[in-house]
Amino acid sequence: MDRDDTTLRVLSTSDLAGLDISLTDVVDTVEQAYRTLAAGESDNPRKLTVKPADGHSVAYAMLGRDGVRKVVAIKTSYKHGLHESREQQHYYTTLTIYDDVTGLPVAMMDCSRIGSLRTPAVSALLARECAAPDASTALVIGTGTQGRLALPFLLTTLPKLDRLLLSGTHPDGIAAVRAELARHFPDRQVELVTDLKAAARDTDVVVATAGAHTLAAVEADWLRPGATAILVGHGLAPSTLHRADRVIATSEAQMQVTGTDMADADGKLPAVDLELPVVVSGVSRARTAADQRIFAYNSGLVVTDIALGHRFAQLALDQGLGTEISLWK
């Protein structure tokens, strides 16, 4: 890059919004980050968390290094108003990337679009690795940011899915889910379900993306043999975890920190059988029997944000997007 060590390129929400990237590109980028981590070529230390006693906000700081791209990055995340409705909350997240070869900064960017793509891509990878071989039906719970892209990403990794179900109550969110599906897969339709129990019993892959205030909670008894239940936000009862035949997580350490709402009466979570980086590397298989009920926990690893953020930075720099500021002058 043609810059000295006093300037930083800032990529805003609008800079990143116009960048065209395919779902396959996103999935491949995220998967490579997991493979690199499993190979020991990247570093993903445990995230730092601060939260006030009344729980009105939460903040995270995540540092990582991508050994393939040779970059170091820091991600910060701050959400305020956790007791309020989604519309009243404030959420800010940034990613700052440094080139570990030249020692120069690459870019600082809004991380919201990166997260909105990375998370459903991870769910889709979990579904691909955990779903039974004959999986044909998927159910998405929730119509927020993650729910809106869940189905297109699922179809990217599991193209043989022939029935798509949606559980949601917000008209605007439902319309947005339909619009995203039509944009990426115009020949596919989604069925809106009102009986969650009946829908869960007829589903091979459940992706729960609902917000914290949802009343939806799929129980373990509702899941058919061979079903995979993926937790992103809310929508699954703790029984789906504690009674699962196999538990897969992107990170067991992060699950212990962010998955406390799924703990049992003693405040404990069951042990994780495998982590996703090991699974996608091909060392071990998530599913060892067709009738196993698998619970999968999707929590973000910063190495995936770094990989996708670096990909966005490349695209933005190629198009001359962003603003150069003399931060250190």
Side-chain angles (χ1 to χ4, degrees):
M1 294 175 295
D2 184 20
R3 76 156 60 94
D4 59 33
D5 61 359
T6 67
T7 62
L8 176 67
R9 182 177 292 263
V10 176
L11 299 172
S12 67
T13 303
S14 57
D15 289 328
L16 299 176
L19 293 176
D20 186 25
I21 186 169
S22 70
L23 301 185
T24 300
D25 192 350
V26 174
V27 171
D28 290 346
T29 300
V30 171
E31 182 172 5
Q32 184 193 41
Y34 281 132
R35 291 180 182 274
T36 305
L37 181 62
E41 298 176 31
S42 295
D43 297 296
N44 194 106
R46 189 170 178 172
K47 68 170 65 174
L48 298 176
T49 308
V50 291
K51 192 173 185 178
D54 65 2
H56 75 268
S57 70
V58 64
Y60 300 103
M62 294 147 276
L63 171 68
R65 184 179 188 277
D66 187 309
V68 169
R69 293 168 178 80
K70 307 298 184 186
V71 295
V72 172
I74 301 170
K75 179 184 176 182
T76 62
S77 176
Y78 171 67
K79 182 176 285 189
H80 182 277
L82 297 183
H83 301 316
E84 306 294 336
S85 65
R86 184 176 299 170
E87 295 75 18
Q88 295 177 295
Q89 293 178 359
H90 296 282
Y91 179 55
Y92 309 97
T93 178
T94 61
L95 182 71
T96 307
I97 305 175
Y98 301 90
D99 188 320
D100 201 29
V101 176
T102 66
L104 297 178
V106 176
M108 179 180 186
M109 65 191 72
D110 168 44
C111 203
S112 56
R113 189 181 179 204
I114 295 166
S116 70
L117 291 171
R118 178 262 294 158
T119 303
V122 173
S123 294
L125 286 170
L126 284 166
R128 187 192 71 189
E129 299 296 334
C130 297
D134 60 349
S136 62
T137 303
L139 166 66
V140 172
I141 303 171
T143 61
T145 301
Q146 296 305 320
R148 295 171 190 182
L149 280 169
L151 289 172
F153 273 104
L154 283 174
L155 288 171
T156 300
T157 60
L158 292 174
K160 292 184 179 180
L161 291 173
D162 60 19
R163 191 178 180 206
L164 308 176
L165 309 178
L166 175 66
S167 174
T169 58
H170 299 285
D172 290 345
I174 294 169
V177 169
R178 294 188 188 279
E180 284 293 337
L181 182 61
R183 184 162 72 92
H184 295 284
F185 293 91
D187 59 329
R188 303 303 302 270
Q189 300 292 323
V190 60
E191 303 173 35
L192 185 64
V193 300
T194 55
D195 188 336
L196 184 59
K197 185 175 183 179
R201 284 179 168 169
D202 200 28
T203 297
D204 300 301
V205 178
V206 180
V207 182
T209 74
H213 301 293
T214 185
L215 299 178
V218 170
E219 296 284 352
D221 289 341
W222 300 3
L223 297 174
R224 61 165 57 171
T228 296
I230 302 169
L231 185 63
V232 181
H234 300 269
L236 298 179
S239 62
T240 58
L241 167 60
H242 294 275
R243 294 173 57 185
D245 298 306
R246 299 271 285 175
V247 178
I248 311 298
T250 47
S251 165
E252 183 169 17
Q254 287 196 12
M255 179 174 159
Q256 293 292 331
V257 173
T258 61
T260 53
D261 58 324
M262 298 293 283
D264 63 15
D266 296 322
K268 296 182 178 180
L269 296 171
V272 168
D273 292 290
L274 287 172
E275 293 184 326
L276 184 58
V278 175
V279 176
V280 299
S281 72
V283 174
S284 300
R285 297 179 61 186
R287 177 176 293 277
T288 57
D291 63 347
Q292 288 173 332
R293 292 185 179 93
I294 295 182
F295 176 92
Y297 189 80
N298 180 348
S299 60
L301 291 183
V302 74
V303 289
T304 58
D305 293 289
I306 294 171
L308 195 55
H310 187 259
R311 182 77 181 104
F312 270 106
Q314 288 177 317
L315 295 171
L317 291 170
D318 288 345
Q319 297 180 32
L321 298 175
T323 303
E324 291 280 357
I325 60 172
S326 297
L327 183 62
W328 296 287
K329 181 176 290 187

